[in-house]
Amino acid sequence: MTVIRLTRMGRKKRPFYRIVVTDSRKRRDGGWIESIGYYNPMVEPEVLKFDKERLEYWKGVGAKLSDKVKSITSK
């Protein structure tokens, strides 16, 4: 099953995240199919940028959203 979730990037204690489409059996930071955006909670205000068309496409073909991705994209 494909899932849309966050993968951690950045350095120690300064994380930012990419919003990626991946196989649910892969590790959090393992390979991914497509990167559709990013999320940076460390700056004020938080930065969230993603491609809404690609998100809707992947949801349309059956990809599930992780809880965190669901909460930040609904803001």
Side-chain angles (χ1 to χ4, degrees), residues 1-43:
M1 169 197 290
T2 54
V3 65
I4 301 171
R5 65 181 173 202
L6 299 176
T7 185
R8 190 178 195 274
M9 305 295 287
R11 58 180 208 245
K12 185 176 175 181
K13 300 193 187 230
R14 297 289 299 169
F16 69 91
Y17 301 90
R18 285 189 181 157
I19 302 170
V20 298
V21 180
T22 187
D23 189 313
S24 62
R25 296 169 291 189
K26 296 256 187 184
R27 298 181 334 203
R28 178 194 72 188
D29 297 334
W32 34 268
I33 300 168
E34 181 180 3
S35 175
I36 60 174
Y38 61 89
Y39 171 60
N40 189 351
M42 300 301 292
V43 294

Side-chain angles (χ1 to χ4, degrees), residues 27-69:
R27 298 181 334 203
R28 178 194 72 188
D29 297 334
W32 34 268
I33 300 168
E34 181 180 3
S35 175
I36 60 174
Y38 61 89
Y39 171 60
N40 189 351
M42 300 301 292
V43 294
E44 194 59 45
E46 295 178 345
V47 176
L48 171 65
K49 189 169 190 165
F50 63 96
D51 187 347
K52 292 179 183 172
E53 290 178 11
R54 294 306 290 168
L55 180 69
E56 292 304 318
Y57 166 77
W58 282 106
K59 284 172 40 178
V61 295
K64 302 289 183 191
L65 274 68
S66 70
D67 294 335
K68 187 64 177 179
V69 171

